[in-house]
Amino acid sequence: MMMHLIFTGVESTFKSALAKAVGEALSREVCGEFARDYLDELDTKPSMNPFPKEHFEAIARGQLLAQEKCGYYQEGQQIFDTDGLTLAIWGADKFGVEDAQWFAPGGPSFYLLCAPTNTYTEDEYRVDSHRRVELHQKFVDLLEELGRPYLILREPVFEDRLCEALRIIKGLEA
């Protein structure tokens, strides 16, 4: 069955690197995370904590548009480095907001939820290192609530996590 693969989870869990590596390994298109592109293009970087709501809203619009352009809402075999679930958790956690668009199911898809079992890597956009386990549980809870198919990637080293992801994907295609 053709299905999209969606890497999701808390910050600093290899999502972007895994999406790229799996895309290369499977010769599939990868739709990147819009938030980083958006923030990288700003001349003046906003405070990350507290993060301005107007920037979150711009990121949410951009993420949904990027998903649509990459074929998220159709059947296909694209790889997504995050989707609306991340917006939902981020919006609820930081702003107490929720939007039905964020929960709209895409085409047939499978989530690879990256667990915070690896060593945290600081960067200018990350702020919740101390809350990774708590936020990870919110991803689990939301995936369960929405009935989305997923498995958790738990390997703490990138190369092992990549092998874990490829094994899972091979099993899905069998």
Side-chain angles (χ1 to χ4, degrees):
M1 175 169 125
M2 289 181 44
M3 71 174 79
H4 300 307
L5 300 172
I6 303 165
F7 287 87
T8 196
V10 300
E11 62 190 27
S12 188
T13 54
F14 305 130
K15 295 179 304 295
S16 297
L18 285 168
K20 288 176 190 167
V22 169
E24 288 175 20
L26 301 178
S27 299
R28 288 194 191 180
E29 179 182 340
V30 176
C31 184
E33 175 188 22
F34 183 79
R36 279 194 177 273
D37 294 340
Y38 173 87
L39 292 168
D40 284 343
E41 289 186 18
L42 293 175
D43 290 331
T44 304
K45 305 291 185 225
S47 167
M48 295 309 294
N49 197 13
F51 191 74
K53 188 174 181 183
E54 63 270 14
H55 285 294
F56 170 76
E57 290 168 344
I59 288 168
R61 286 190 303 274
Q63 178 66 40
L64 294 176
L65 182 60
Q67 288 173 197
E68 185 176 348
K69 285 181 179 177
C70 289
Y72 182 83
Y73 301 101
Q74 289 85 42
E75 187 174 294
Q77 291 189 310
Q78 286 76 10
I79 295 172
F80 293 86
D81 174 9
T82 202
D83 74 347
L85 284 151
T86 300
L87 297 173
I89 290 168
W90 188 10
D93 186 63
K94 300 297 185 193
F95 306 106
V97 298
E98 187 174 294
D99 189 321
Q101 293 181 84
W102 303 338
F103 300 108
S109 56
F110 189 86
Y111 287 84
L112 295 151
L113 175 58
C114 296
T117 55
N118 61 306
T119 301
Y120 184 83
T121 303
E122 293 283 342
D123 90 10
E124 64 185 320
Y125 301 137
R126 296 179 178 153
V127 297
D128 284 320
S129 62
H130 60 291
R131 299 182 60 222
R132 291 191 327 149
V133 171
E134 170 195 348
L135 292 170
H136 174 75
Q137 188 59 49
K138 290 179 186 258
F139 278 90
V140 170
D141 294 345
L142 187 53
L143 286 163
E144 289 287 331
E145 178 184 328
L146 296 172
R148 305 277 169 86
Y150 74 97
L151 283 175
I152 299 174
L153 300 175
R154 300 179 194 282
E155 291 292 338
V157 176
F158 175 78
E159 292 78 11
D160 295 337
R161 191 168 287 196
L162 175 58
C163 290
E164 180 183 26
L166 290 170
R167 272 194 311 275
I168 288 169
I169 293 163
K170 185 177 181 181
L172 294 172
E173 295 174 346

